[in-house]
Amino acid sequence: MARKNPAVRREEVLAATVEEIEATGLRTLRVSDVAARLGLSASLIIYHFETKEALVAAAFDYAGRQDIDRARELAAGTDSGREVSAGTVSARERLRAVVGWYLPSGSSRSWKIWIDGWSAGLFDEELKSTFAAMDREWKSILARLMEEAIAAGECAAPTSGVDAPTRGAETPTGGTDARATRILAFLDGLAIQMMVNPEAVEAEQLRVWADDFLTHELG
């Protein structure tokens, strides 16, 4: 039997690790359980990743990369791998599509793993670094779309905090980076509420709140 390409094997291990985290949680994750999903030995997985901590960080990066890649497609106006003609979808509409994908009801990835991972990242510098890098990428996608929308006259240009009182309470303040940070912080908070208290926050209500907040931030 031919040996698998190391890159293919690595991706299989990462996918299996994400599945195991979704199924049983990060706290009880064992390398042997990941290996069992693939019919491999735990020593082979350690050969590829050296430590369990490195495996977990790589698995979260793998999961996050898939969501970010899809967000970049939506930001570019790509639908299922098909480019749409320039100008067909406004920057503001593409921004809403990216936000919709970020929400728990958008991505197919369970938000349980992100909440689980954020908690672990408080005590694991490698994992914390992985999440920080993904956060920067999400903010970059949102900020670039807002800059495009501002240039097209689709949303209000942000003002400085000093100017905000004279411009009205509804005028968004700070640059696009600040607005992107606020949007992600708001979405993260909603997602956590939905995951830990689903009786209080339904998916449709969450989408409405997210849309209202986005409208406020875009002006």
Side-chain angles (χ1 to χ4, degrees):
M1 181 181 295
R3 296 181 62 184
K4 285 193 175 182
N5 181 292
V8 174
R9 175 67 75 193
R10 178 183 176 86
E11 185 167 325
E12 288 180 343
V13 171
L14 293 175
T17 303
V18 172
E19 291 172 0
E20 188 65 26
I21 294 172
E22 285 187 286
T24 64
L26 190 55
R27 185 175 61 85
T28 59
L29 178 71
R30 299 185 304 178
V31 174
S32 59
D33 292 330
V34 176
R37 280 181 174 266
L38 299 170
L40 303 175
S41 66
S43 60
L44 180 60
I45 292 180
I46 292 300
Y47 170 79
H48 282 283
F49 295 93
E50 297 187 357
T51 66
K52 173 185 170 181
E53 290 73 22
L55 170 64
V56 168
F60 275 108
D61 182 72
Y62 169 80
R65 190 66 47 198
Q66 291 179 319
D67 281 350
I68 289 171
D69 287 346
R70 176 57 179 152
R72 291 193 186 283
E73 290 179 355
L74 293 170
T78 302
D79 183 15
S80 300
R82 176 171 55 83
E83 289 289 342
V84 296
S85 59
T88 300
V89 184
S90 70
R92 188 168 180 137
E93 290 172 325
R94 284 180 274 128
L95 180 57
R96 289 188 184 283
V98 170
V99 168
W101 175 247
Y102 189 87
L103 290 171
S105 55
S107 170
S108 60
R109 185 74 60 195
S110 171
W111 261 77
K112 289 188 298 183
I113 71 167
W114 303 124
I115 297 172
D116 206 0
W118 291 341
S119 177
L122 295 174
F123 308 97
D124 184 322
E125 287 301 319
E126 186 172 9
L127 197 53
K128 182 178 181 180
S129 177
T130 296
F131 286 124
M134 287 191 287
D135 187 65
R136 287 192 295 270
E137 290 201 53
W138 276 106
K139 289 175 183 175
S140 175
I141 293 170
L142 295 181
R144 281 200 297 270
L145 280 171
M146 280 187 279
E147 288 164 5
E148 188 178 340
I150 290 169
E154 297 169 5
C155 70
T159 65
S160 68
V162 174
D163 295 335
T166 63
R167 294 288 299 276
E170 296 304 313
T171 303
T173 61
T176 53
D177 288 342
R179 294 162 94 175
T181 298
R182 288 197 297 268
I183 290 169
L184 286 184
F186 184 76
L187 297 179
D188 289 342
L190 287 183
I192 291 172
Q193 278 292 314
M194 184 175 175
M195 294 305 299
V196 303
N197 193 15
E199 295 81 8
V201 184
E202 296 182 353
E204 183 55 37
Q205 183 64 65
L206 182 145
R207 285 191 291 270
V208 171
W209 289 343
D211 194 61
D212 288 346
F213 187 82
L214 188 60
T215 296
H216 168 74
E217 283 295 331
L218 296 182

